[in-house]
Amino acid sequence: MNYPEKLLDTPVEFLRGVGPVKAELLRKELDICTFGDLLLHFPYRYLDSNHLNRICDLRPDQEWVQLRGVIARIREEGHNFKKRLTAVLYDQTGQVELIWFQGGAYVRKHLQEGATYSIFGKISYFNGQPNMAHPEIELFQAGQPLPALQPVYSTTEKLRAKGLSNRTFAHLQHALWERLQPKDIGEFLPGNILTEYRLMPRFQSLRQIHFPESEQHRDAALFRLKWEEFFLLHLRMGRLKIRNHQQAGFTFENVGDHFNHFFTRHLPFELTRAQKRVIREIRQDTRSGHQMNRLLQGDVGSGKTIVALMALLLAAGNGFQGVLMAPTEILARQHYEDICGLLKKMDVDVRLLTGSVKGKERRETLTALAEGNCSIIVGTHALVEKKVVFRNLGLAIIDEQHRFGVVQRARLWEKNRLPPHILVMTATPIPRTLAMTIYGDLDVSVIDELPPGRKPIQTIHRTEAYRAQVMQFIRKEIHEGRQIYVVYPLIDESEKMDYESLMAGIEQLKAWFPEPDYRVAMVHGKQNPEERQRNMERFVNGYANILVATTVIEVGVNVPNASVMIIESAERFGLSQLHQLRGRVGRGSEKSYCILLTGGHISNESRQRMDIMVRSQDGFVIASEDLKMRGPGDIYGTRQSGALPLKLGDIIQDTTILENARLAAQSLLDSDPELKHPQNQHLKSWLQNSAQGKEKRAWSTIS
Ligand code: ADP
Ligand code: MG
């Protein structure tokens, strides 16, 4: 076999019509270095000459339209910064004005009056007349047989300025395809899979996606290419999972005294069925002799901490050390205090290690860890620093995984001769099938049940005009002994504007709630950890009535007496974030409220988001709405961008293809987990090569 495919590794510079200057631009702008990269620069749309709109049929509610007509009256209007180019497009039924606010000079040079053009763009209306700004425009050559579907390629301003327009890309693809033979584009999917799932072969698919014979061909090509992406993704994840399952791990032989004592004497409440089930799953994993790699999903407030603690006791009872790692100092401290509280009648050495644990205390902790006197250590990423040495780390629990990179996870493992068992906990619930994709290499446990007796949190959306009423309401709650969170959006803590509005907000709040009758504490990212901690404590111990915070409190803090959560500029938060924030209240026995404050004029989308929050309290419902509205990228952060190499496939929209490919990958791995069968050899080497990035790297090794 000869992967990667040789011709496709040719530097793009050597393609007819490219040359060194354009090659450099292609590399810089679109990361296109080789023939192969160009091949994978797919059209994002097709011009469909069977679906032309007539100008007389245009309607204000239509957005994107495709027209064909003659260009006339090309004019440059205005001067200096207001300069623009206009032209009129006629067809047999009417006329549309075309406008270019930028780049007019370039367009002017190429536009011919009296010639026929195909144009595509967004229609808008001015004084009842249709016009189109910055249309895509292309000369129509009569007599030349036009394919039904013409590919449209994305390009950039810089490329266009150097003559690399959408059209040029089509020419480059032609030049490329003149040289491509079926042998250059190897098929790596086994024949039986192509047949069983009715997939178009790879060569044809790539040909059809660039130059479709028909809509059906294009769709079949797209199906195959998306399917292939999902299939490879699931194969990779599946193989990782198989490897994980084979990885030797520490065996926790017994349940152990710690676990038993705690369970029978000190557990403050009855565990939910879901909690018990997850603990059983962890017990099975850790006694199997293989390493555990498990994701624990559970909505906010579902009680993940106690599960974590019991897993840590399991490790301790078997003579192993365990860590619980949290993303922030505040959260680590809170976990530490909760755990100390729960274990106060037991003889287990629990310690804290964060950036602000210093001096003698730090030295002692490090020694205790190295000598094995400390069984449970809670902390932040300070725990993965080189200086931290464990005697026998058996279990690592990582809370709120989406804040931690995979790299940090790997660094924890390096500290041992055997990797510790890993439990990742997240409060961002995602639908099951998606979890199987995104976390396909991990085993997944779900806590799908809240502890009994939770009162629903009443969620209310109020505009700025009702601020005074909201303040009155807060006052009433404070007089009844409750505490209040007020959260400000600080998307980027370094942003001056946000910071100033936070300060202004606090001043306003202090005016409503003056000392000494009221006490306001505040935490934000500009404070140093000690200051933040002091303020946090004032709220946790009940001294402060109000905690003003930026999203630092988003994950994890637990103050059962807090009954109201006010979210300022709520429209600036994503749905899942709002849900996390809201989860900070409703933890005590009192009725709780979440008030979403927004301006009076917010976008439809924002309004929809507020409505969902008011309507639903189910994290799964909210997460899937969030996915629909924002796409997955924002939510899964690091995991998503690194681990999901999808060019065409969309894990939300293409769920049918995804599921089909996932099952195919699963059944292949069931029958041939090591990919040893002769018919799977192409696939195996493709997986190996593409994993090493050879597809992309060939050019850079030459230059
Ligand atoms: P999260 O899953 O968001 O981390 P926590 O572990 O902080 O949730 O638990 C939220 C609250 O619920 C805590 O106050 C905890 O003591 C309480 N809790 C957890 N499990 C139970 C249970 N089975 N019965 C009653 N209360 C519980
Ligand atoms: Mg938690």
Side-chain angles (χ1 to χ4, degrees):
M1 245 114 7
N2 206 0
Y3 293 107
E5 301 130 325
K6 285 257 169 51
L7 180 76
L8 291 182
D9 279 340
T10 315
V12 72
E13 155 175 21
F14 300 118
L15 187 67
R16 180 164 56 75
V18 182
V21 177
K22 284 183 180 156
E24 179 59 16
L25 262 173
L26 282 170
R27 187 186 63 74
K28 271 204 193 133
E29 290 286 299
L30 295 173
D31 201 21
I32 294 176
C33 304
T34 63
F35 284 15
D37 296 338
L38 184 65
L39 181 67
L40 299 183
H41 186 61
F42 297 137
Y44 70 97
R45 220 172 48 70
Y46 298 84
L47 268 176
D48 184 347
S49 45
N50 296 324
H51 287 106
L52 281 179
N53 299 87
R54 297 192 309 170
I55 293 177
C56 69
D57 294 335
L58 297 181
R59 297 276 170 273
D61 56 354
Q62 250 170 333
E63 284 208 326
W64 297 91
V65 297
Q66 188 173 309
L67 304 169
R68 182 177 302 147
V70 176
I71 290 279
R73 294 217 312 263
I74 306 175
R75 283 199 197 138
E76 271 165 286
E77 295 173 2
H79 18 234
N80 298 333
F81 295 115
K82 294 239 170 109
K83 217 157 155 181
R84 57 185 197 171
L85 183 74
T86 64
V88 174
L89 181 89
Y90 292 91
D91 71 4
Q92 283 155 2
T93 71
Q95 63 181 63
V96 171
E97 182 169 48
L98 309 179
I99 310 168
W100 290 265
F101 298 102
Q102 292 113 31
Y106 176 78
V107 178
R108 176 83 196 82
K109 257 197 297 191
H110 295 267
L111 216 53
Q112 306 163 29
E113 282 204 27
T116 303
Y117 287 86
S118 302
I119 70 164
F120 176 84
K122 208 171 174 178
I123 275 293
S124 52
Y125 281 79
F126 184 70
N127 288 340
Q129 296 303 309
N131 68 62
M132 198 187 272
H134 293 263
E136 285 175 25
I137 180 157
E138 183 172 337
L139 194 60
F140 173 74
Q141 278 145 345
Q144 175 189 329
L146 255 191
L149 294 173
Q150 273 181 279
V152 181
Y153 295 91
S154 60
T155 176
T156 66
E157 285 303 325
K158 274 195 187 142
L159 286 173
R160 212 167 304 158
K162 296 284 176 203
L164 278 158
S165 65
N166 156 43
R167 220 42 245 147
T168 327
F169 272 100
H171 293 315
L172 294 183
Q173 291 294 349
H174 274 290
L176 176 63
W177 279 89
E178 274 167 19
R179 302 182 54 176
L180 285 176
Q181 304 283 327
K183 72 168 171 46
D184 295 315
I185 300 182
E187 178 60 80
F188 53 80
L189 291 181
N192 59 329
I193 286 191
L194 290 179
T195 315
E196 188 175 342
Y197 297 92
R198 302 206 199 103
L199 299 171
M200 187 183 265
R202 193 153 183 268
F203 180 80
Q204 271 104 305
S205 305
L206 289 168
R207 166 105 209 147
Q208 292 292 336
I209 196 169
H210 288 292
F211 305 110
E213 275 167 52
S214 70
E215 224 165 305
Q216 289 76 12
H217 284 81
R218 191 258 330 259
D219 291 347
L222 261 175
F223 183 91
R224 142 82 205 217
L225 293 169
K226 288 180 179 178
W227 196 95
E228 161 193 316
E229 285 183 350
F230 289 131
F231 181 72
L232 292 174
L233 173 66
H234 284 107
L235 266 188
R236 282 209 183 89
M237 292 283 198
R239 276 157 62 87
L240 263 178
K241 188 170 187 170
I242 290 173
R243 228 167 291 158
N244 282 343
H245 284 169
Q246 290 165 343
Q247 169 70 50
F250 298 115
T251 311
F252 296 175
E253 297 278 355
N254 311 303
V255 171
D257 290 345
H258 289 318
F259 186 101
N260 277 331
H261 284 170
F262 181 74
F263 187 73
T264 50
R265 296 183 204 157
H266 306 299
L267 196 61
F269 37 64
E270 172 87 5
L271 294 173
T272 62
R273 259 170 318 178
Q275 286 170 320
K276 286 184 193 156
R277 186 184 62 235
V278 174
I279 291 170
R280 260 197 311 275
E281 286 164 347
I282 294 170
R283 169 81 188 116
Q284 292 308 334
D285 285 358
T286 52
R287 78 196 294 184
S288 70
H290 296 291
Q291 186 205 11
M292 169 170 78
N293 275 283
R294 189 167 281 281
L295 173 76
L296 171 54
Q297 279 195 61
D299 206 346
V300 250
S302 62
K304 293 183 291 295
T305 316
I306 200 87
V307 172
L309 172 60
M310 296 189 70
L312 290 166
L313 291 174
L314 203 56
N318 282 276
F320 288 96
Q321 293 172 301
V323 309
L324 174 56
M325 192 153 89
T328 64
E329 171 110 22
I330 288 179
L331 190 54
R333 264 180 201 276
Q334 176 117 45
H335 276 322
Y336 172 71
E337 276 153 24
D338 287 352
I339 289 178
C340 289
L342 288 162
L343 298 184
K344 65 176 179 288
K345 298 212 178 105
M346 289 180 52
D347 184 22
V348 183
D349 188 302
V350 184
R351 289 174 199 241
L352 177 72
L353 190 69
T354 66
S356 58
V357 175
K358 297 209 168 92
K360 182 157 165 264
E361 192 186 346
R362 186 180 197 85
R363 281 195 302 278
E364 279 176 8
T365 298
L366 290 179
T367 312
L369 279 177
E371 292 178 352
N373 300 327
C374 165
S375 323
I376 295 179
I377 176 104
V378 182
T380 54
H381 41 264
L383 285 167
V384 294
E385 279 164 20
K386 280 224 171 59
K387 277 186 226 123
V388 185
V389 180
F390 295 92
R391 181 167 164 84
N392 58 350
L393 180 62
L395 170 67
I397 302 180
I398 302 168
D399 196 5
E400 310 294 354
Q401 182 270 343
H402 57 289
R403 308 257 158 153
F404 276 109
V406 178
V407 185
Q408 276 160 325
R409 227 187 327 149
R411 271 174 66 189
L412 262 179
W413 302 5
E414 282 166 17
K415 294 182 172 290
N416 266 54
R417 50 197 166 88
L418 275 184
H421 297 295
I422 302 277
L423 180 69
V424 174
M425 306 200 292
T426 167
T428 309
I430 41 174
R432 212 175 81 88
T433 48
L434 256 191
M436 287 194 281
T437 302
I438 295 177
Y439 300 110
D441 55 336
L442 305 176
D443 296 300
V444 178
S445 293
V446 183
I447 304 187
D448 48 7
E449 172 183 16
L450 290 180
R454 285 283 157 80
K455 297 214 177 108
I457 302 162
Q458 189 175 345
T459 303
I460 303 158
H461 173 205
R462 286 281 178 270
T463 56
E464 201 51 48
Y466 290 84
R467 180 174 290 276
Q469 267 122 306
V470 172
M471 294 301 137
Q472 283 302 341
F473 175 72
I474 297 185
R475 183 163 296 151
K476 186 176 124 284
E477 286 286 307
I478 292 178
H479 288 170
E480 286 173 17
R482 308 281 96 75
Q483 288 169 285
I484 318 290
Y485 290 108
V486 181
V487 176
Y488 279 82
L490 216 53
I491 306 306
D492 176 358
E493 301 251 348
S494 62
E495 245 176 58
K496 202 160 157 264
M497 279 264 292
D498 279 348
Y499 186 69
E500 279 169 6
S501 76
L502 172 70
M503 290 306 149
I506 289 167
E507 286 315 309
Q508 197 189 11
L509 204 65
K510 282 185 172 161
W512 279 99
F513 300 98
E515 299 207 23
D517 295 347
Y518 304 93
R519 288 167 299 271
V520 180
M522 114 175 109
V523 289
H524 58 77
K526 287 234 167 110
Q527 294 165 328
N528 62 37
E530 288 81 19
E531 195 182 350
R532 214 181 301 160
Q533 190 53 39
R534 248 197 331 276
N535 276 288
M536 196 67 212
E537 257 153 33
R538 291 172 69 210
F539 189 68
V540 174
N541 66 26
Y543 176 77
N545 317 102
I546 300 180
L547 180 71
V548 181
T550 59
T551 43
V552 276
I553 64 158
E554 179 187 344
V555 271
V557 292
N558 193 15
V559 180
N561 189 47
S563 65
V564 183
M565 163 73 58
I566 311 275
I567 304 177
E568 295 275 354
S569 305
E571 74 275 14
R572 290 179 57 186
F573 292 93
L575 270 178
S576 289
Q577 229 180 346
L578 288 173
H579 180 64
Q580 298 287 315
L581 287 169
R582 177 170 61 182
R584 296 308 112 212
V585 295
R587 298 188 160 223
S589 49
E590 300 306 319
K591 181 162 170 51
S592 302
Y593 303 86
C594 172
I595 302 176
L596 307 168
L597 275 172
T598 69
H601 300 283
I602 53 174
S603 69
N604 274 343
E605 199 207 296
S606 303
R607 193 168 299 277
Q608 255 173 301
R609 278 210 302 270
M610 299 305 122
D611 288 348
I612 293 165
M613 287 299 295
V614 169
R615 246 188 0 250
S616 176
Q617 269 192 64
D618 182 331
F620 281 88
V621 171
I622 289 170
S624 37
E625 294 289 338
D626 205 10
L627 280 169
K628 274 189 230 146
M629 295 177 80
R630 290 200 304 166
D634 292 340
I635 302 177
Y636 307 116
T638 48
R639 183 86 204 204
Q640 169 75 6
S641 53
L644 297 187
L646 300 172
K647 248 175 120 69
L648 291 169
D650 178 323
I651 57 174
I652 308 306
Q653 265 150 41
D654 299 319
T655 42
T656 319
I657 310 179
L658 180 150
E659 197 48 18
N660 185 284
R662 186 181 71 77
L663 293 174
Q666 189 59 53
S667 93
L668 177 69
L669 287 178
D670 286 345
S671 64
D672 185 15
E674 304 287 328
L675 301 184
K676 282 187 173 147
H677 294 176
Q679 84 245 30
N680 296 331
Q681 290 320 296
H682 284 327
L683 181 58
K684 187 173 185 175
S685 48
W686 179 266
L687 276 172
Q688 279 162 355
N689 282 327
S690 54
Q692 291 159 18
K694 284 186 193 158
E695 275 172 299
K696 199 88 197 129
R697 202 138 316 141
W699 165 234
S700 52
T701 52
I702 299 172
S703 65

